[in-house]
Amino acid sequence: MALNRRDFLKSAAAASAASAVGIAVPSSLEAASNDAQKDWRWDKAACRFCGTGCGIMLATKNGKIVAVKGDPAAPVNRGLNCIKGYFNAKIMYGADRLKTPLLRMNDKGEFDKKGKFKPVSWQRAFDEMEKHAKKALKESGPEGVAVFASGQYTVMEGYAAQKMMKGGFRSNALDPNARHCMASAVVGFYQTFGIDEPSGCYDDIEITDTIVTWGSNMAEMHPILWSRVSDRKLSNPDKVKIVNIQTYTHRTCDIGDINIIFSPSTDLAIWNYVAREIVFRDKKGGGKEDIIDWDFVNENLVFTAGPVNIGYGMRRAGEKSLKDGKYTALEMETISKEMEKKVSAKEAPALEPYGYKEGDVMKNTPGTLKHWKISFEDYKKSLEPFTLDYVAKIAKGDPNESIDSFKKKLQALAELYIEKGRKVVSFWTMGMNQHTRGTWVNTLSYNVHFMLNKQALPGNGAFSLTGQPSACGTAREVGTFCHRLPADMMVKNPKHRAKAEKVWKIPAGTLNPVGNQHIMKIHRDIEDGVVKFAWVNVCNAYQDSASAKHWIKAAREMDNFIVTSDGYPGISAKVSDLVLPSAMIYEKWGAYGNAERRTQHWRQQVLPVGDAMSDTWQWIEFSKRFTVKDLWGEYTLRNGKKLPNVIADAKKMGYKEDTTMYDILFANKKAKSYKINLDKFPQKGFDNSECLGDSRNVKGSDGKVFKGYGFMVHEYLFEEYASFGRGHGHDLAPFEVYHKVRGLKWPVVDGKETQWRFNVKYDPYAAKAVKESGSKSTHAFYGPLAKKILQGNLTGPDKKLGKYALPNKAKIFARPYMDPPEMPDEKYDTWLCTGRVLEHWHSGTMTMRVPELFRAVPEALCYMNPKDAKAKGVKRGELVWVESRRGKVKARVETRGRNRPPQGLVFVPWFDEKVFINKVCLDATCPMSKQTDYKKCAVKITKA
């Protein structure tokens, strides 16, 4: 059967698709498919996109990826992919792929910040990086060297960056774009459980009776999971219920039994309403029903509270750029609320139990993680204001919906949670996480599930869905946040620092205990002139940050050196002084960790394009430029703390002053014990550009052809990282095992993954904790953080009461509704919400270069209610200005699209650099998690 290339690709794809859904394949088609694929090498990998963690199969031929299909053996997606997943190969072959380093230079060939980009060698690139990093260290100390890291790093890339930044440069100014993605979920986990990551897994979808989405457009953002939700709904449509709680109607709402459109930020009030129904209807709360599982609550939980005057994570008075007048009067109208605010009529009832009334001036102090134990009666008091009438009044988001209709929906929501025997899973993504009270609203979700004993059980639980492919695995588990170390360890904890120093074989006292340079602070520190050297890794930091024009101006006009490593010339690359061409996803070995704790590995499938090299290689090569003498002397930090000179101690360990960080951190004796063995699985038959070099003969950082490190650096980095968590509730399987399986959910104990954490029946760590304590509990919330706290009431702790120890217990938090810092008013009368669409990924740097995805959605639209469009005199397809106190962009109006906002709100996705909506957004954050709130700010819409 003769086939041209197009026909045999189509036949192979058709056969694969049919097989994935269980359709019998005609023998002729199967034969054609087999013939088409006879020279292809198929291998498993993980999808490059969202945190779902789908498995894919890649076919390579003649050094290029020629086909992609869903992996039928992958338990997450079971052979299916979403539209982006099917284009995993094409994201690597865009016409403007970066192939060589580019440096801004003048006509003399010198670096010039105002110059044009010109190609340079890797050696010249590293020469410039070394020069400017050393200059930054001299002028600002370790706080002057920063990295915009990523939830899209592979595990190995993130771990290499962490080792060099924290162990080498002694800088904690390393923070991932995952800070924008799920930091509120993380702090919610820490505060509630004492440990990070969800207790449930995706299998909950097939077991549960009820799916409630809170600020999550799963149909577009996690489409494969939504296909599983849809399948569950169709399996028993009368029993299984879907509730969607959103600020605007979108595709997830299409199969909802109940769709609740709420006003931005009032999800806090809705959670408290549900909790109030539970407490006030329960007999112990004064009602007549047995609702709360008091045996579970008394055994496993305590009630807690924290301060409410925590601000909004914006710049504070006294900061240099505010004093220097870099912010306009309009911007200061919002920023001033960081210092103090007047309690509004809307939030006053919710704040009354905490000692505030309408009109009071609330003096804000920066966000704190402090909290204390309170009584059940105090918790009940915190819920008292959240009556059906009050919550319906402030939370109804669609002005055209009747208040009675909205109330009925709230009541139905509460009944579904409360119904005895009904299993409930609450899913959320950015709607709850990108929130000026993101940590609060995350903890509120657990309150409801805990009181009903519907958490950490099959089919029951509150579950944060991550946005990025390794926001869990690399940002959280590896610990590439400014305040973290691997396996939930913290830089401020001396015992944790000592453990990392021991594993890394660096002197005691090397690690910096101050980890406060989160991603927004790095931007602000660049604007303040503190950070002089910044490196953007596997993200698009200058497109993905709110109030973006401030950071771009600082990067381009101030005395600093900005480097971006990327596959394509996105906004960050264009802003930078040096651009490095990075190997993309399947041009390197790697591993990701998904939203259900599943770690997945893949092998290098093809050689990188041009002279591109992986970010792991870039970090290791950079480490060769710095010695013990360069980095390990004494420094004084901004807060006055001193980092000691550890050079003498380094010499006692056998190092010399000229020993490089490469020799200490990456090419040490342990690393070299991981041998190259091309005759053995998993190395056999696969390229390894870092360890062996490759046929491109790339000239490396020393100007010579790079021949490889000669040892299995990927395995070394993974195994050393994994050593932090083994035996500590973060157990990972061996490197080789992951290449044989389709991922495993940690903790992996005795070769078995853990489905439901904290549950004695499924989690060996919970079983061990219960046995050691002599308890007969079904659960043990064994996370170690903040398990000894003060006691008090809603208005504060009372030190006279002493501290309360709560081993193996989790927490229920009292958290009120509060207004966001910026709301629509007479000048800016419309809510703006941002997000993504199905076809594009984040800043569009990859997906906008896939012709099929570009044609499907070529530009970001301003989705608007038809009544608003009519009132503003604009029609579908016309251009409007979307303007805030910070800036404006031009976008095309869509009134009949997939996203259907209520009156008073517009939605503009952020994937399109030509519709640069993040210039408009406010850089307020949750003060506890430092996660930016992209979901709400005030704008005005005018015809362009």
Side-chain angles (χ1 to χ4, degrees):
M1 182 177 181
L3 293 173
N4 61 32
R5 183 177 186 276
R6 178 178 176 82
D7 288 338
F8 80 59
L9 284 172
K10 286 169 65 177
S11 69
S16 296
S19 174
V21 296
I23 299 173
V25 180
S27 57
S28 59
L29 180 60
E30 186 172 13
S33 172
N34 291 337
D35 183 63
Q37 300 180 46
K38 64 183 179 183
D39 295 326
W40 295 3
R41 180 189 70 189
W42 285 100
D43 196 33
K44 74 176 182 73
C47 179
R48 176 62 180 78
F49 297 107
C50 75
T52 299
C54 292
I56 63 172
M57 297 296 292
L58 298 168
T60 54
K61 181 179 179 181
N62 298 330
K64 192 166 183 177
I65 299 174
V66 294
V68 179
K69 64 182 179 181
D71 183 355
V76 170
N77 54 309
R78 305 164 185 180
L80 296 177
N81 277 161
C82 77
I83 188 63
K84 290 192 298 294
Y86 286 116
F87 289 107
N88 266 289
K90 282 197 172 185
I91 63 171
M92 297 164 55
Y93 299 123
D96 59 344
R97 179 77 189 271
L98 294 168
K99 297 178 181 179
T100 188
L102 301 170
L103 177 68
R104 290 188 182 274
M105 293 192 289
N106 59 26
D107 292 338
K108 298 177 183 178
E110 303 164 329
F111 166 66
D112 184 344
K113 200 166 178 71
K114 302 298 184 184
K116 301 292 185 183
F117 283 119
K118 296 179 183 179
V120 293
S121 67
W122 277 109
Q123 183 179 31
R124 174 70 189 281
F126 282 112
D127 286 346
E128 293 291 342
M129 290 173 69
E130 176 189 350
K131 171 184 168 184
H132 288 279
K134 287 179 176 176
K135 178 174 179 281
L137 283 168
K138 184 177 180 180
E139 294 182 10
S140 297
E143 291 162 311
V145 176
V147 172
F148 293 104
S150 180
Q152 298 168 64
Y153 268 146
T154 67
V155 166
M156 296 76 152
E157 288 167 346
Y159 186 66
Q162 161 133 282
K163 282 193 82 174
M164 184 56 199
M165 280 295 288
K166 295 178 181 177
F169 286 120
R170 309 176 79 181
S171 172
N172 292 323
L174 167 80
D175 210 56
N177 59 357
R179 178 73 69 174
H180 298 310
C181 166
M182 32 39 73
S184 295
V186 171
V187 181
F189 280 122
Y190 278 145
Q191 293 231 308
T192 302
F193 299 97
I195 193 171
D196 191 13
E197 300 275 11
S199 51
C201 60
Y202 297 160
D203 293 352
D204 286 323
I205 295 170
E206 282 75 28
I207 301 169
T208 195
D209 308 312
T210 319
I211 292 100
V212 187
T213 69
W214 292 78
S216 176
N217 186 357
M218 284 179 72
E220 293 203 50
M221 304 312 126
H222 295 86
I224 296 303
L225 291 184
W226 192 243
S227 73
R228 290 176 62 171
V229 169
S230 303
D231 186 58
R232 175 63 183 140
K233 171 66 177 175
L234 294 171
S235 71
N236 192 345
D238 294 329
K239 172 70 172 176
V240 176
K241 301 298 180 185
I242 295 177
V243 184
N244 300 298
I245 304 171
Q246 318 290 348
T247 59
Y248 61 93
T249 302
H250 45 57
R251 285 179 172 175
T252 299
C253 301
D254 291 346
I255 63 169
D257 294 283
I258 304 171
N259 293 312
I260 298 173
I261 304 300
F262 70 95
S263 179
S265 263
T266 61
D267 45 356
L268 291 157
I270 296 172
W271 274 117
N272 275 310
Y273 162 73
V274 177
R276 188 187 193 281
E277 287 292 292
I278 292 168
V279 167
F280 279 72
R281 285 165 53 180
D282 185 79
K283 286 179 180 177
K284 193 170 178 179
K288 298 179 180 180
E289 301 174 66
D290 291 315
I291 293 178
I292 298 175
D293 187 331
W294 281 108
D295 289 340
F296 179 79
V297 170
N298 291 333
E299 181 71 33
N300 296 292
L301 297 153
V302 296
F303 295 93
T304 49
V308 298
N309 60 330
I310 59 176
Y312 298 100
M314 296 183 286
R315 278 194 175 277
R316 294 193 62 80
E319 292 185 10
K320 188 174 186 301
S321 291
L322 291 188
K323 291 194 294 184
D324 289 350
K326 292 184 178 180
Y327 288 76
T328 66
L330 277 174
E331 289 176 295
M332 292 305 299
E333 288 178 4
T334 301
I335 293 173
S336 65
K337 294 176 186 175
E338 176 62 24
M339 280 55 80
E340 64 178 42
K341 59 162 286 180
K342 190 174 286 189
V343 175
S344 74
K346 184 177 181 180
E347 65 190 346
L351 291 170
E352 189 276 331
Y354 300 84
Y356 292 93
K357 63 181 184 300
E358 182 182 350
D360 283 354
V361 174
M362 180 183 285
K363 300 281 186 179
N364 291 325
T365 55
T368 175
L369 301 179
K370 290 180 181 177
H371 54 277
W372 49 88
K373 180 181 178 294
I374 60 172
S375 67
F376 169 68
E377 288 303 318
D378 276 327
Y379 176 64
K380 179 184 173 184
K381 182 181 176 182
S382 78
L383 297 176
E384 196 165 346
F386 295 97
T387 63
L388 181 61
D389 286 342
Y390 171 62
V391 173
K393 178 183 177 183
I394 68 168
K396 186 170 75 74
D398 182 353
N400 295 310
E401 181 178 12
S402 74
I403 196 74
D404 288 339
S405 167
F406 191 73
K407 285 182 178 180
K408 286 177 183 177
K409 290 177 181 178
L410 294 181
Q411 289 173 311
L413 172 69
E415 291 300 332
L416 287 172
Y417 275 108
I418 291 169
E419 183 183 326
K420 295 286 185 183
R422 174 171 283 277
K423 297 184 178 77
V424 186
V425 175
S426 302
F427 283 122
W428 66 90
T429 45
M430 298 308 103
M432 272 173 52
N433 291 341
Q434 291 176 344
H435 199 308
T436 51
R437 291 294 181 266
T439 299
W440 285 12
V441 74
N442 269 265
T443 59
L444 290 177
S445 68
Y446 301 116
N447 293 358
V448 167
H449 282 267
F450 277 147
M451 288 190 289
L452 301 170
N453 192 5
K454 294 185 178 183
Q455 180 70 31
L457 289 165
N460 276 308
F463 196 125
S464 165
L465 291 172
T466 354
Q468 298 187 73
S470 203
C472 293
T474 312
R476 293 156 76 169
E477 294 157 25
V478 172
T480 54
F481 283 91
C482 64
H483 63 290
R484 288 178 76 161
L485 291 165
D488 270 3
M489 298 199 305
M490 303 291 172
V491 298
K492 71 177 181 180
N493 186 315
K495 292 181 180 178
H496 293 176
R497 295 198 304 276
K499 179 176 180 178
E501 287 162 348
K502 184 177 179 181
V503 173
W504 291 347
K505 292 182 171 54
I506 59 179
T510 302
L511 293 183
N512 182 347
V514 180
N516 61 12
Q517 286 176 278
H518 56 86
I519 207 159
M520 287 312 308
K521 185 165 175 55
I522 292 172
H523 277 304
R524 292 167 186 167
D525 279 351
I526 293 172
E527 188 177 51
D528 287 349
V530 175
V531 168
K532 301 285 189 179
F533 177 93
W535 190 359
V536 178
N537 284 188
V538 205
C539 66
N540 197 344
Y542 286 91
Q543 186 174 341
D544 71 21
S545 290
S547 293
K549 69 177 184 180
H550 275 278
W551 325 129
I552 290 174
K553 184 176 181 180
R556 292 301 311 125
E557 297 181 6
M558 295 184 68
D559 177 24
N560 52 45
F561 191 75
I562 311 296
V563 184
T564 289
S565 296
D566 206 336
Y568 292 105
I571 286 178
S572 295
K574 294 168 186 172
V575 165
S576 296
D577 302 302
L578 173 67
V579 182
L580 304 179
S582 284
M584 292 185 69
I585 178 74
Y586 309 116
E587 297 170 341
K588 57 193 176 186
W589 291 65
Y592 280 160
N594 80 343
E596 62 166 355
R597 294 173 278 111
R598 183 182 298 276
T599 308
Q600 301 182 81
H601 284 233
W602 66 90
R603 298 180 280 195
Q604 182 177 340
Q605 302 296 313
V606 291
L607 297 184
V609 169
D611 284 348
M613 293 296 285
S614 75
D615 290 72
T616 302
W617 180 86
Q618 292 174 35
W619 272 105
I620 294 174
E621 292 302 293
F622 196 39
S623 74
K624 293 177 177 178
R625 300 302 186 104
F626 299 90
T627 65
V628 166
K629 184 178 181 180
D630 292 331
L631 302 183
W632 286 356
E634 183 180 271
Y635 294 101
T636 301
L637 303 176
R638 277 179 287 180
N639 66 359
K641 285 191 177 182
K642 288 188 181 294
L643 295 182
N645 185 319
V646 295
I647 295 174
D649 290 331
K651 290 179 179 178
K652 292 176 185 177
M653 297 175 72
Y655 304 133
K656 299 176 181 178
E657 287 193 0
D658 61 356
T659 303
T660 68
M661 292 298 124
Y662 170 73
D663 294 313
I664 296 171
L665 300 175
F666 300 113
N668 49 58
K669 184 178 179 181
K670 180 70 173 176
K672 291 177 179 177
S673 71
Y674 290 90
K675 303 295 185 183
I676 297 292
N677 190 341
L678 298 180
D679 295 323
K680 184 183 175 186
F681 177 88
Q683 298 177 40
K684 185 177 181 180
F686 286 84
D687 292 308
N688 196 326
S689 295
E690 296 93 334
C691 302
L692 299 169
D694 60 49
S695 59
R696 296 174 300 152
N697 291 322
V698 173
K699 289 186 178 179
S701 63
D702 59 0
K704 300 175 183 176
V705 172
F706 179 71
K707 297 293 187 180
Y709 298 123
F711 58 93
M712 190 58 179
V713 67
H714 315 293
E715 186 173 9
Y716 162 62
L717 290 171
F718 179 80
E719 287 296 330
E720 185 177 272
Y721 147 66
S723 71
F724 283 94
R726 289 176 180 147
H728 303 284
H730 285 77
D731 306 64
L732 295 166
F735 179 84
E736 186 174 321
V737 168
Y738 285 111
H739 286 282
K740 295 177 180 177
V741 300
R742 263 56 175 186
L744 293 169
K745 296 188 286 289
W746 61 263
V748 181
V749 180
D750 297 329
K752 295 180 180 179
E753 64 180 5
T754 299
Q755 299 285 83
W756 290 275
R757 286 206 301 165
F758 313 126
N759 186 315
V760 169
K761 186 176 179 181
Y762 302 98
D763 183 348
Y765 279 94
K768 180 183 177 184
V770 166
K771 184 178 180 181
E772 290 176 349
S773 69
S775 161
K776 294 184 179 179
S777 177
T778 57
H779 291 72
F781 298 102
Y782 49 78
L785 295 179
K787 288 302 180 77
K788 197 171 184 180
I789 57 175
L790 290 169
Q791 302 179 71
N793 57 32
L794 291 174
T795 58
D798 184 347
K799 292 183 179 179
K800 296 176 186 175
L801 297 175
K803 286 194 172 182
Y804 181 87
L806 49 147
N808 296 328
K809 289 180 183 281
K811 299 164 189 170
I812 290 174
F813 278 90
R815 309 285 205 196
Y817 163 76
M818 288 185 72
D819 294 337
E822 187 172 271
M823 303 169 70
D825 56 22
E826 290 182 1
K827 289 186 288 188
Y828 299 92
D829 60 356
T830 300
W831 284 111
L832 167 68
C833 179
T834 61
R836 290 194 286 120
V837 295
L838 170 66
E839 293 82 359
H840 290 297
W841 175 245
H842 283 195
S843 60
T845 311
M846 295 178 287
T847 52
M848 286 289 273
R849 288 167 169 83
V850 175
E852 294 86 345
L853 297 177
F854 177 81
R855 285 196 297 268
V857 183
E859 63 180 327
L861 302 172
C862 178
Y863 293 91
M864 184 186 298
N865 187 281
K867 291 181 179 179
D868 280 341
K870 185 176 181 181
K872 295 178 186 302
V874 296
K875 296 178 181 178
R876 180 174 183 246
E878 291 185 337
L879 292 170
V880 292
W881 287 108
V882 182
E883 182 176 358
S884 74
R885 289 171 171 84
R886 291 154 296 280
K888 64 181 182 178
V889 298
K890 198 182 291 185
R892 198 172 306 281
V893 171
E894 176 56 86
T895 58
R896 291 188 283 169
R898 62 180 82 177
N899 300 301
R900 292 148 289 183
Q903 279 188 271
L905 184 145
V906 295
F907 171 75
V908 183
W910 69 280
F911 67 84
D912 188 352
E913 63 181 54
K914 293 178 181 177
V915 183
F916 193 179
I917 196 62
N918 281 341
K919 291 193 299 183
V920 176
C921 295
L922 174 66
D923 63 320
T925 74
C926 167
M928 301 169 80
S929 71
K930 318 301 182 190
Q931 179 163 355
T932 318
D933 187 346
Y934 295 93
K935 296 302 177 186
K936 59 197 78 74
C937 70
V939 299
K940 59 183 176 183
I941 309 294
T942 54
K943 193 169 183 177

